[in-house]
């Protein structure tokens, strides 16, 4: 079976039709899909727009590696993630992840871990532009787990007013998640 070839980092509006069809995976009964869009607020500030930048050659390679690792870990047939770069308005799609598995649990788990790992490990930077005319680079954050029984206080680290360096990203990746 030949799978679709597409860039994982794209500077055009994202669409789900870039992903392979579930019909190519007859062993799968579960589809996990996450679509992340630009929201109009962050930590009490009104957001006007975002700009994502990336070092595309490395980001592409890292996303593909994450996909392979998650596919093996959960025994799913298909995991793909595509992330947008460039200027995005409120409501625009920033990331799509899709996983196909024999059952829903594995599809959901693979999809969630794919998004979380891409957001924390891949060199994609987000600059937020606020309604008051200011802007700043914002660090990635773990996906909230509503189903966890223990309430854990999660605090965002200080935001940066410059482009994060690799050292900053390494520190974020190691210390930002619980």
């Amino acid at each position: 079976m030949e799978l679709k070839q597409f860039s994982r980092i794209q500077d055009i509006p994202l669409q789900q039709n870039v992903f392979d069809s579930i019909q190519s995976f007859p062993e799968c009964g579960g589809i996990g899909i996450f679509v992340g869009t630009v929201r109009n607020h962050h930590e009490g500030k009104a957001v006007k727009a975002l700009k994502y930048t990336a070092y595309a050659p490395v980001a592409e390679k890292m996303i593909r590696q994450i996909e392979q690792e998650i596919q093996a870990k959960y025994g799913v047939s298909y995991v793909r993630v595509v992330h947008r770069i460039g200027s995005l308005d409120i409501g625009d799609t920033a990331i799509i992840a899709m996983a196909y598995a024999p059952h829903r649990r594995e599809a959901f788990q693979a999809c969630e871990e794919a998004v979380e790992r891409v957001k924390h490990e891949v060199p994609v930077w987000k600059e937020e532009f606020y309604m008051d005319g200011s802007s700043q680079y914002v660090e990635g954050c773990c996906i909230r787990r509503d189903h966890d029984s223990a309430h854990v206080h999660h605090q965002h680290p200080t935001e940066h007013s410059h482009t994060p360096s690799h050292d900053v990203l390494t520190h974020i990746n190691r210390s930002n998640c619980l």
Side-chain angles (χ1 to χ4, degrees), residues 14 30 36-37 42 51 71 87 93 116 125 134 145 154 161 163:
L14 303 182
T37 61
H42 180 78
K51 183 176 181 184
Q71 190 170 338
S87 297
T93 300
E116 191 163 335
W125 299 281
S134 65
R145 296 182 175 272
H154 180 81
S161 59
T163 305

Side-chain angles (χ1 to χ4, degrees), residues 111-127:
C111 188
E112 180 180 15
E113 186 168 323
V115 172
E116 191 163 335
R117 288 196 54 198
V118 166
K119 287 294 194 181
H120 287 279
E121 297 175 23
V122 178
V124 175
W125 299 281
K126 177 171 72 171
E127 183 177 11

Side-chain angles (χ1 to χ4, degrees), residues 52-102:
Y52 284 102
T53 55
Y55 182 58
V58 172
E60 282 279 337
K61 182 177 178 181
M62 290 178 74
I63 290 173
R64 291 172 190 273
Q65 181 66 38
I66 288 168
E67 292 169 349
Q68 290 174 358
E69 290 171 6
I70 290 172
Q71 190 170 338
K73 177 178 179 178
Y74 292 102
V76 299
S77 298
Y78 184 85
V79 178
R80 297 293 184 272
V81 180
V82 62
H83 200 298
R84 176 86 185 269
I85 58 171
S87 297
L88 285 78
D89 293 322
I90 304 304
D92 286 349
T93 300
I95 187 170
I96 302 175
M98 194 172 297
Y100 301 154

Side-chain angles (χ1 to χ4, degrees), residues 94-159:
I95 187 170
I96 302 175
M98 194 172 297
Y100 301 154
H103 303 98
R104 68 183 173 271
R105 180 180 304 272
E106 294 86 5
F108 288 150
Q109 289 173 327
C111 188
E112 180 180 15
E113 186 168 323
V115 172
E116 191 163 335
R117 288 196 54 198
V118 166
K119 287 294 194 181
H120 287 279
E121 297 175 23
V122 178
V124 175
W125 299 281
K126 177 171 72 171
E127 183 177 11
E128 290 184 335
F129 296 88
Y130 304 108
M131 294 298 239
D132 67 6
S134 65
S135 70
Q136 61 187 357
Y137 282 88
V138 180
E139 297 171 358
C141 178
C142 296
I143 294 173
R144 189 173 123 192
R145 296 182 175 272
D146 291 333
H147 54 81
D148 285 351
S149 58
H151 295 293
V152 179
H153 180 65
H154 180 81
Q155 201 168 2
H156 294 258
T158 305
E159 294 171 349

